């Protein structure tokens, strides 16, 4: 009896809960629709926005004997005032009374759309939540008397930063424009470079509170359709209250979250994004952020700079080899120093060993703690230089490094050789075009130092093996992160460690673009015939 009563009670409670949820859903559905009453819609907007001070409401009268009321609602500072004035003039002066009287042929909403609204993107809607979102996004909303629908006109006019040279990726040779915080400006910068009807842009809104616009850009016929579909699916799964920057999306859609290496490429340069789109990748633009992310991404891309393609192939190859060399210096230089001085002194020439031993004669710390102290000190100086005002930060970084380094040597805390090793490591760390790869190297370097202090050179080799295994397990939207090295693809080696001339790079990466792999017909430049002056 007790069991039956419990089941009956639970069934009744579940039915009541279901009815309550259904009633709530019905109320929400009714709440989302615009009301037939003109005054009720305006009151509802005021109540929803909490009588916000920046909500402007204008009521104008049109039609015969000013019999029709129209409410114009917009957010102060978010719309273009000149376009708004043109819209109001059109509503008052250009809308003829006959257009209002002929309700048997057309509605008032249609008459206003055809004859009065001459600027901006026009959208007719009945969804109240969509109306609120448009008002807060720089649209002017028109509420018509006795009509349960509204018209929104896109006339954004908020303050925005102009197109400037990117600060995070400067070049000596190449374009100087960079992305801004305005989504429309960013898409136009890409359109200027890719004037093709196959360049598609698809928009989404992400964020329950912020309603942030996110744009997906790709070239139809070149981009892999499976990757495009995967990007849509991962973005649709994001359920968060706010998207304030591209990094939010990057962290929520990446394949592997527990890795120090960046698996999604981000940049401020439109030319870099355009080049990757032409290879078959997909770009994601977020409103309010000057950084654009590109997927799928490979590890070799973080060693490539846009300037590599604006110079001769031999110069670009030399610079790229230098970056790979700097990668190993930034990753292993302190570790090798610690390993040699702690476990393998016999590897050094006698003269060098005596010189280093003389420098370390009064040093109270072992090599590991000496290197750890210097690395932490340099990280503090780097962080302080970034956070302080620009004019003061640069001076403080230079003076701090010189004064602290010299003082530490004179005080007998660190040796001259250690200062040289840490300085070379820090300089090599700035040679990477991608700042997120430099951050990854800084993190891994501390682990390598610990392995070197305990196991010497064998610990460094063990760390490199673990690092290679970890890199081989990473994926970026299904593409192996170490492509085209592992798996090895011979035809894609023309733009990895070396860069061949542009006329020889006739195919796109095989695992990136699987639809249209041929970029150009092979056309080797030939020498013109010699001409002798007669």
């Amino acid at each position: 009896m007790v069991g039956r009563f419990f089941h009956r009670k639970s069934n009744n409670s579940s039915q009541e809960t279901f009815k309550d949820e259904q009633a709530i859903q019905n109320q929400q559905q009714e709440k989302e629709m615009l009301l037939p009453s003109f005054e009720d819609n305006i009151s509802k907007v005021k109540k929803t926005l909490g009588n916000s001070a920046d909500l402007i409401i204008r009521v104008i009268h049109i039609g015969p004997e000013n019999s029709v009321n129209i409410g114009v609602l917009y957010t102060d500072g978010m719309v273009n005032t000149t376009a708004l004035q043109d819209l109001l003039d059109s509503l008052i002066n250009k809308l003829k009374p006959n257009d209002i009287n002929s309700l048997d042929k057309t509605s008032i909403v249609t008459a206003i759309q055809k004859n009065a609204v001459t600027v901006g993107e026009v959208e007719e809607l009945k969804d109240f939540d969509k109306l609120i979102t448009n008002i807060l996004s720089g649209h002017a909303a028109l509420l018509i008397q006795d009509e349960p629908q509204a018209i929104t006109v896109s006339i954004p006019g908020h303050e925005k930063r102009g197109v400037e040279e990117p600060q995070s990726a400067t070049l000596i040779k190449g374009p100087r424009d960079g992305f801004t915080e305005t989504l429309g400006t960013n898409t136009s910068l890409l359109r200027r470079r890719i004037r093709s009807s196959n360049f598609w842009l698809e928009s989404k809104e992400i964020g329950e509170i912020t309603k942030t616009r996110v744009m997906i850009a790709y070239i139809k016929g070149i981009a892999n359709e499976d990757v495009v579909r995967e990007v849509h699916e991962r973005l649709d799964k994001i359920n968060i209250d706010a998207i304030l920057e591209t990094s939010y999306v990057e962290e929520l859609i990446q394949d592997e979250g527990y890795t120090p290496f960046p698996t999604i490429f981000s940049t401020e340069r439109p030319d870099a994004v355009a080049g990757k789109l032409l290879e078959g990748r997909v770009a994601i633009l977020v409103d309010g952020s000057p950084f654009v992310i590109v997927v799928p991404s490979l590890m070799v891309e973080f060693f490539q700079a846009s300037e590599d393609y604006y110079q001769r192939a031999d110069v670009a190859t030399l610079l790229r080899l230098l970056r790979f060399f700097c990668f190993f210096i930034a990753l292993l230089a302190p570790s090798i120093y610690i390993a040699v001085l702690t476990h393998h002194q016999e590897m050094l020439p006698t003269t060098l060993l005596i010189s280093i031993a003389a420098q370390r004669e009064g040093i109270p710390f072992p090599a590991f703690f000496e290197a750890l102290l210097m690395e932490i000190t340099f990280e503090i100086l780097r962080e302080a230089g970034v956070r302080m005002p620009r004019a003061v930060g640069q001076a403080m970084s230079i003076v701090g490094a010189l004064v602290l380094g010299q003082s530490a040597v004179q005080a007998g805390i660190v040796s001259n050789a250690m200062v040289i090793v840490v300085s070379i490591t820090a300089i090599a760390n700035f040679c990477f075009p991608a700042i997120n790869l430099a951050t990854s190297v800084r993190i891994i370097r501390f682990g390598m130092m610990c392995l070197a202090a305990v196991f010497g050179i064998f610990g460094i080799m063990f760390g490199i093996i673990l690092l290679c295994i970890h890199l081989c397990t990473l994926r970026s939207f299904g593409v192996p992160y170490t492509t085209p090295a592992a798996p090895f693809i011979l035809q894609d080696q023309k733009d990895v460690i070396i860069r061949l001339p542009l006329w020889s790079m006739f195919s796109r990466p095989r695992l990136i673009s699987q639809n249209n792999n041929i970029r150009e017909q092979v056309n080797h430049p030939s020498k013109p015939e010699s001409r002798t002056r007669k």
Side-chain angles (χ1 to χ4, degrees):
M1 291 292 294
V2 176
R4 291 179 181 178
F5 176 76
F6 175 76
H7 285 298
R8 287 179 182 177
K9 186 175 181 180
S10 61
N11 289 335
N12 292 334
S13 61
S14 62
Q15 291 178 359
E16 291 175 0
T17 304
F18 176 76
K19 290 180 180 179
D20 293 339
E21 291 178 353
Q22 212 170 23
I24 293 173
Q25 290 179 358
N26 294 333
Q27 288 178 2
Q28 289 178 348
Q29 290 178 357
E30 293 177 359
K31 205 173 184 179
E32 290 176 354
M33 303 304 293
L34 287 172
L35 302 174
S37 174
F38 170 77
E39 292 80 5
D40 291 344
N41 284 328
I42 293 181
S43 300
K44 192 175 180 181
V45 171
K46 288 182 179 180
K47 183 178 179 181
T48 302
L49 298 179
N51 289 323
S52 182
D54 61 346
L55 175 64
I56 308 300
I57 300 176
R58 292 279 305 277
V59 178
I60 61 176
H61 308 283
I62 63 173
E65 299 180 355
N66 296 328
S67 59
V68 179
N69 297 327
I70 295 181
V72 182
L73 293 78
Y74 62 93
T75 305
D76 188 22
M78 294 290 292
V79 299
N80 189 330
T81 54
T82 304
L84 179 64
Q85 186 62 42
D86 294 339
L87 175 62
L88 296 178
D89 292 341
S90 300
L91 288 173
I92 296 174
N93 300 324
K94 293 185 179 180
L95 198 61
K96 300 178 182 179
N98 295 332
D99 297 326
I100 304 300
N101 291 332
S102 57
L103 296 179
D104 55 336
K105 298 178 180 180
T106 179
S107 65
I108 298 179
V109 176
T110 306
I112 291 175
Q113 287 184 359
K114 290 183 177 180
N115 302 321
V117 180
T118 58
V119 293
E121 178 185 355
V122 182
E123 182 179 2
E124 181 179 343
L125 49 87
K126 298 182 180 180
D127 187 357
F128 182 77
D129 292 337
K130 181 66 175 177
L131 173 67
I132 296 296
T133 302
N134 287 2
I135 292 176
L136 298 177
S137 302
H139 295 237
L142 305 179
L143 296 176
I144 298 94
Q145 182 180 357
D146 299 330
E147 287 287 344
Q149 54 186 339
I151 301 173
T152 58
V153 184
S154 177
I155 47 174
H158 52 82
E159 295 294 330
K160 57 184 179 181
R161 182 171 63 92
V163 178
E164 301 173 353
E165 184 177 1
Q167 298 296 322
S168 62
T170 57
L171 299 180
I172 298 176
K173 184 179 180 181
R176 295 291 189 265
D177 55 345
F179 289 122
T180 68
E181 290 77 12
T182 306
L183 188 60
T185 303
N186 295 341
T187 55
S188 66
L189 290 174
L190 293 177
R191 280 288 183 193
R192 287 176 55 192
R193 290 169 167 82
I194 307 176
R195 299 183 180 93
S196 172
S197 59
N198 293 327
F199 179 42
W200 288 12
L201 294 168
E202 301 175 0
S203 179
K204 292 180 179 294
E205 278 190 0
I206 303 179
E208 296 294 330
I209 298 177
T210 58
K211 308 286 185 184
T212 305
R213 286 188 65 196
V214 176
M215 199 79 74
I216 302 172
Y218 63 97
I219 300 179
K220 184 70 173 180
I222 296 180
N224 192 336
E225 295 295 336
D226 294 335
V227 175
V228 176
R229 192 179 307 109
E230 182 70 20
V231 171
H232 279 281
E233 291 178 358
R234 295 192 187 188
L235 290 177
D236 292 337
K237 291 179 181 178
I238 296 178
N239 186 11
I240 194 172
D241 59 347
I243 296 291
L244 302 179
E245 214 272 336
T246 310
S247 301
Y248 283 59
V249 178
E250 179 180 350
E251 190 171 353
L252 291 171
I253 67 172
Q254 61 186 354
D255 291 60
E256 181 64 45
Y258 299 100
T259 177
F261 291 96
T263 56
I264 295 180
F265 184 81
S266 62
T267 180
E268 285 186 275
R269 302 198 61 86
D271 55 334
V273 176
K276 295 185 182 301
L277 289 174
L278 291 170
E279 289 183 347
R281 292 176 170 84
V282 181
I284 302 175
L285 299 84
V286 177
D287 192 16
S289 173
F291 285 89
V292 174
I293 58 179
V294 182
V295 296
S297 299
L298 310 178
M299 184 179 180
V300 295
E301 294 181 49
F302 298 94
F303 294 92
Q304 301 170 354
S306 299
E307 199 171 8
D308 293 349
Y309 306 96
Y310 306 144
Q311 301 188 35
R312 290 172 44 186
D314 52 353
V315 177
T317 300
L318 178 62
L319 294 176
R320 194 170 293 178
L321 289 172
L322 181 63
R323 295 188 197 112
F324 279 98
F325 181 65
C326 290
F327 173 77
F328 289 104
I329 290 179
L331 184 66
L332 301 176
S335 306
I336 295 176
Y337 180 83
I338 294 170
V340 169
L341 289 188
T342 306
H343 300 280
H344 312 284
Q345 295 90 347
E346 66 279 1
M347 296 178 63
L348 294 177
T350 305
T351 306
L352 180 59
L353 181 61
I354 293 173
S355 176
I356 295 178
Q359 295 177 20
R360 292 184 48 81
E361 184 177 357
I363 305 300
F365 305 111
F368 171 70
F369 289 102
E370 185 184 0
L372 189 64
L373 177 63
M374 289 297 297
E375 286 289 340
I376 294 176
T377 303
F378 187 81
E379 293 296 331
I380 294 173
L381 287 174
R382 186 207 307 264
E383 189 68 16
V386 171
R387 304 304 167 197
M388 292 188 68
R390 185 174 302 176
V392 182
Q394 295 178 356
M396 193 207 68
S397 299
I398 297 173
V399 174
L402 292 175
V403 172
L404 285 178
Q406 184 177 3
S407 301
V409 171
Q410 292 179 353
I413 299 177
V414 295
S415 62
N416 290 323
M418 178 57 71
V419 174
I420 294 174
V421 170
V422 173
S423 301
I424 293 176
T425 304
I427 295 173
N429 207 51
F430 287 113
C431 292
F432 307 128
I435 189 64
N436 42 9
L437 178 62
T439 305
S440 303
V441 172
R442 289 159 55 190
I443 297 172
I444 301 172
R445 185 163 62 231
F446 286 97
M448 287 292 186
M449 291 167 57
C450 295
L451 290 174
V454 178
F455 302 105
I457 295 295
F458 302 101
I460 296 176
M461 297 302 298
F462 179 70
I464 293 176
I465 293 173
L466 288 181
L467 202 60
C468 293
I469 295 175
H470 175 69
L471 288 173
C472 292
T473 60
L474 295 180
R475 297 289 186 274
S476 179
F477 280 75
V479 178
Y481 190 57
T482 53
T483 304
F488 183 79
I489 302 175
L490 181 61
Q491 65 181 12
D492 291 347
Q493 300 299 319
K494 55 186 175 294
D495 191 22
V496 182
I497 298 178
I498 63 174
R499 186 189 69 85
L500 297 181
L502 292 177
W503 51 263
S504 65
M505 299 170 60
F506 55 88
S507 62
R508 297 183 176 88
R510 195 178 71 178
L511 292 183
I512 302 297
S513 176
Q514 301 177 355
N515 299 327
N516 185 2
N517 192 252
I518 302 301
R519 184 195 298 267
E520 63 177 348
Q521 298 296 327
V522 180
N523 186 15
H524 188 285
S526 58
K527 296 181 181 180
E529 297 180 359
S530 60
R531 297 181 178 88
T532 59
R533 184 176 298 177
K534 296 181 179 180

